[in-house]
Amino acid sequence: MEPLLNITHLEIEFKTEDGFVKPLHDISFTIEKGETVAVVGESGSGKSITALSTLQLLPASITKYPKGKILFNLKNGEQVDLLKLPQHQLQEIRGNEIAMIFQEPMTSLNPVFTCGAQVTEAIQLHQKCSKAEAVKKTVGLFEKVKLPNPQAILQRYPHQLSGGQKQRVMIAMAMSCNPSLLIADEPTTALDVTVQKTILELIKELQQENGMSVLFITHDLGVVHDIADKVVVMYKGNIVEQGTVDEIFHNPKHPYTKALLACRPALHPKGKQLPVVSDFLEEKKMDGDRLPLTEKDHLHSGQPSANNDKPLLKVENLNVWFPEKHSLFGKPHSFIKAVNNISFEIFAGETLGLVGESGCGKTTLGRALLRLVEPTSGSILLNGENILNNGLKQFKQQRKNLQIVFQDPYSSLNPRITIGKAIAEPMLVHGLSVNQKQAKEKVIELLEKVNLNPSHYNRYPHEFSGGQRQRIVIARALALHPSFIVWDESVSALDVSVQAQVLNLLNDLKKEFGFTSVFISHDLSVVRYISDRIIVMNKGQIEESGAADEIYFKPRQEYTRQLLSAIPGIQVQKP
């Protein structure tokens, strides 16, 4: 039997100010009926361009006509070359024969229409049925993708749903016409590990139920291990290796594949330098090129936790409540208890991991520690002084010792000012640099510390990759020599290879600057690697806490065990 999709010798060129560049070089692979093929690689490797080429969704204004063939077998048995079809025929195929789920559902869904209206429109576009029939089918699809209260979701707008729920709406829309091929472009990258697990299980379940094929695009080989039959590894627009999941995971041939497998934090002792892609491409011998470590390899590895008598930061009975319902006269009479009666201590030089699903209160707690969210009650003692007793003007002097690095560095930086000025700004505000020249010298020194080039000083945020922007905001946080830093999901959206670089950088900077940290994440494997102790949060309260390795290897609570079981791919095995 012929494969459902057969891509042969695909090449594409983009028109730029400097002439044409070629993001794809001689791409060839097949997808059989009912098969899941994962395309893996870092950002910029050409994964998404390959997927978008399949449906001719690349902008014609900057794309030179692609070379090669993309042969697809339609439901009626006819074979077509998708690169040669006119737009009206492609419109029939998009959604009906080939559906696509994008990485960020919020940008894929129209914010001014209800979720029900958008799925109903897709059904009516491809199927000849009345609006009432389309609505009935939409409810059935919402039930199939396990959305809570499907009738209510029909009337809700995208902003009223969680990230996982929005992605389920996108899957419902993609499945509405029972496509032969589903293209999933990084559909779980920004989601919690537990939500990610349910989405992956849902895609697998729908695939088996409908007999469809899946082209799954991701940078995380752990996800691939759980969902794919075959793997295509891409690097700088080339396919460097392809084979079955077993072949790729147990006998990788190319150094780049070995690097992607080796750089995940779960495979390495706490605090030890993680291998990165350049190490493998330069053919250095790395400890990371091996099987997963056992519990014995991890215990007592890395830096010991700080053991001072007095904590640097002490949190007592902290509450952050948000009004939910008000009386007729505007008085709140019910609250969302985002942080509910939490107490803990952090010692100087220690990294405390804060882990839990979205909505558990970890980010609210992190921001409350810096008074970016004002607590409802309780106390936060910094070196014995309750910072909640100070007015905001008085607190400004303390704030330079307390910094935060957010999840999305692009929204943290002003797009209109150069990164040099962005890093220098806090120093000038707090009077740490007497003049612009001294500030510039300090900024260049900080850029070098985070492995960026001094020549980047006059560039703007949009001129950098995601990993580079994260380094920029780290440099800005360090500009004031803070004693305490909150890392709020600061590596969650990064490629696994870039994540390894940033985690290595954090360990190096911690040794040099000696700051104390709270590291917030939903991924327990990352938190265990970087932290001395871990607090697991659930529904605004502490579920359990303890030494990082104890929580990771010997969790006491069922909730923690669920978080661990949701981490995709190869896990650390107990001996």
Side-chain angles (χ1 to χ4, degrees):
M1 289 179 66
E2 289 184 344
L4 178 71
L5 186 78
N6 186 2
I7 299 177
T8 54
H9 308 296
L10 178 65
E11 291 190 3
I12 286 177
E13 292 186 15
F14 281 169
K15 188 177 181 181
T16 68
E17 293 176 357
D18 302 319
F20 281 96
V21 296
K22 194 182 285 186
L24 292 184
H25 305 265
D26 196 22
I27 302 300
S28 297
F29 64 90
T30 62
I31 303 177
E32 305 293 336
K33 289 180 180 176
E35 184 179 47
T36 298
V37 175
V39 179
V40 186
E42 299 171 280
S43 295
S45 63
K47 316 183 295 292
S48 294
I49 291 173
T50 303
L52 292 169
S53 302
T54 304
L55 288 170
Q56 287 197 42
L57 291 174
L58 295 168
S61 58
I62 63 163
T63 309
K64 199 172 179 180
Y65 196 81
K67 298 175 185 175
K69 291 182 178 179
I70 302 180
L71 301 177
F72 181 74
N73 287 311
L74 300 175
K75 291 175 184 175
N76 63 12
E78 181 188 353
Q79 188 180 73
V80 294
D81 185 349
L82 295 172
L83 295 180
K84 293 181 179 175
L85 290 182
Q87 280 299 318
H88 70 275
Q89 280 185 268
L90 277 168
Q91 190 66 29
E92 285 294 314
I93 289 172
R94 291 172 187 154
N96 198 28
E97 303 264 0
I98 304 174
M100 191 159 182
I101 308 167
F102 295 95
Q103 177 173 351
E104 180 42 70
M106 195 62 203
T107 56
S108 306
L109 292 168
N110 191 325
V112 300
F113 292 104
T114 63
C115 295
Q118 293 182 64
V119 179
T120 302
E121 182 188 30
I123 292 170
Q124 287 188 286
L125 184 67
H126 292 287
Q127 301 175 32
K128 292 178 180 178
C129 63
S130 66
K131 188 173 181 181
E133 287 175 312
V135 169
K136 189 177 178 181
K137 285 184 179 182
T138 301
V139 173
L141 284 163
F142 284 176
E143 287 173 352
K144 191 178 273 190
V145 298
K146 300 181 175 70
L147 276 165
N149 198 346
Q151 287 286 352
I153 299 285
L154 276 179
Q155 306 303 323
R156 286 186 188 162
Y157 291 88
H159 72 272
Q160 295 175 300
L161 305 184
S162 69
Q165 288 174 336
K166 283 195 283 276
Q167 201 59 285
R168 286 169 191 270
V169 171
M170 286 299 298
I171 293 170
M173 195 183 299
M175 296 302 300
S176 62
C177 297
N178 195 18
S180 304
L181 175 64
L182 176 67
I183 300 174
D185 187 3
E186 302 265 18
T188 61
T189 297
L191 302 178
D192 287 352
V193 284
T194 46
V195 179
Q196 174 179 262
K197 185 181 180 183
T198 59
I199 294 293
L200 294 177
E201 287 172 348
L202 174 62
I203 290 172
K204 198 77 178 172
E205 190 180 308
L206 293 170
Q207 178 190 19
Q208 290 168 352
E209 191 178 311
N210 296 280
M212 70 179 177
S213 303
V214 177
L215 175 59
F216 196 95
I217 295 165
T218 182
H219 63 259
D220 189 346
L221 271 165
V223 170
V224 170
H225 183 270
D226 288 354
I227 197 169
D229 301 306
K230 195 165 69 184
V231 184
V232 176
V233 183
M234 292 188 69
Y235 178 62
K236 292 187 174 178
N238 294 283
I239 292 177
V240 295
E241 188 167 1
Q242 57 180 305
T244 66
V245 168
D246 283 344
E247 287 168 348
I248 295 296
F249 273 81
H250 297 116
N251 191 24
K253 299 285 192 299
H254 197 276
Y256 181 69
T257 312
K258 294 178 181 179
L260 289 181
L261 282 165
C263 65
R264 299 185 73 223
L267 307 183
H268 300 277
K270 183 158 63 69
K272 185 178 178 182
Q273 195 85 350
L274 295 171
V276 294
V277 169
S278 59
D279 295 319
F280 284 83
L281 296 182
E282 291 165 11
E283 296 186 343
K284 292 180 182 177
K285 185 172 176 59
M286 292 299 300
D287 291 336
D289 188 11
R290 56 175 169 150
L291 290 173
L293 302 177
T294 66
E295 180 181 351
K296 286 177 182 175
D297 293 314
H298 287 269
L299 288 172
H300 310 302
S301 64
Q303 298 295 314
S305 63
N307 191 23
N308 301 327
D309 292 336
K310 289 185 179 179
L312 174 78
L313 193 82
K314 188 173 183 180
V315 176
E316 294 179 331
N317 308 115
L318 193 69
N319 291 294
V320 182
W321 295 1
F322 299 109
E324 185 180 25
K325 293 181 180 177
H326 295 80
S327 67
L328 184 64
F329 301 102
K331 186 177 179 180
H333 57 77
S334 71
F335 295 87
I336 296 170
K337 299 179 179 180
V339 175
N340 191 12
N341 198 31
I342 278 184
S343 301
F344 61 91
E345 297 175 341
I346 310 175
F347 295 92
E350 185 180 38
T351 298
L352 179 71
L354 207 55
V355 70
E357 298 172 280
S358 288
C360 71
K362 57 187 189 299
T363 292
T364 303
L365 174 57
R367 295 185 180 194
L369 297 179
L370 275 63
R371 292 184 67 181
L372 297 175
V373 174
E374 281 295 320
T376 308
S377 62
S379 59
I380 302 171
L381 304 172
L382 180 66
N383 290 319
E385 182 187 356
N386 189 357
I387 62 173
L388 300 182
N389 290 339
N390 297 332
L392 289 176
K393 196 171 182 180
Q394 188 184 354
F395 180 62
K396 183 182 173 183
Q397 291 304 311
Q398 291 175 309
R399 179 155 275 164
K400 66 182 179 183
N401 290 318
L402 308 168
Q403 291 294 308
I404 186 167
V405 177
F406 295 101
Q407 177 174 352
D408 181 7
Y410 193 66
S411 61
S412 309
L413 293 164
N414 187 331
R416 295 184 179 182
I417 66 173
T418 63
I419 62 117
K421 287 182 179 176
I423 297 170
E425 188 177 40
M427 292 189 282
L428 296 169
V429 167
H430 286 278
L432 296 189
S433 296
V434 177
N435 55 46
Q436 292 281 357
K437 184 184 175 185
Q438 288 174 315
K440 185 173 182 178
E441 288 171 358
K442 180 65 179 173
V443 169
I444 288 171
E445 183 186 326
L446 285 165
L447 286 173
E448 288 174 336
K449 283 194 189 302
V450 297
N451 302 324
L452 289 173
N453 198 310
S455 63
H456 292 159
Y457 183 92
N458 289 314
R459 291 189 187 177
Y460 289 87
H462 73 270
E463 298 179 81
F464 296 91
S465 68
Q468 286 174 321
R469 283 197 286 263
Q470 199 60 280
R471 291 167 187 272
I472 291 162
V473 294
I474 289 169
R476 184 176 62 180
L478 293 172
L480 297 174
H481 293 287
S483 58
F484 182 75
I485 302 177
V486 174
W487 309 92
D488 186 8
E489 299 272 15
S490 51
V491 297
S492 297
L494 301 178
D495 289 350
V496 283
S497 52
V498 179
Q499 181 186 81
Q501 294 171 20
V502 174
L503 290 173
N504 285 340
L505 175 65
L506 296 190
N507 275 330
D508 291 341
L509 293 171
K510 183 181 172 182
K511 288 172 189 171
E512 182 175 348
F513 289 89
F515 49 74
T516 307
S517 300
V518 167
F519 192 91
I520 299 170
S521 178
H522 59 257
D523 189 339
L524 250 171
S525 64
V526 174
V527 172
R528 182 211 58 86
Y529 170 77
I530 201 78
S531 305
D532 300 302
R533 287 188 299 122
I534 293 175
I535 288 176
V536 181
M537 284 189 69
N538 184 20
K539 296 178 181 176
Q541 296 184 311
I542 293 175
E543 190 80 19
E544 68 174 300
S545 62
D549 285 335
E550 288 295 320
I551 296 291
Y552 191 76
F553 291 108
K554 298 173 183 176
R556 298 184 299 276
Q557 300 297 322
E558 179 59 29
Y559 178 76
T560 312
R561 287 193 281 271
Q562 288 173 6
L563 287 179
L564 281 164
S565 67
I567 302 169
I570 296 176
Q571 296 303 308
V572 177
Q573 304 297 318
K574 289 198 173 187

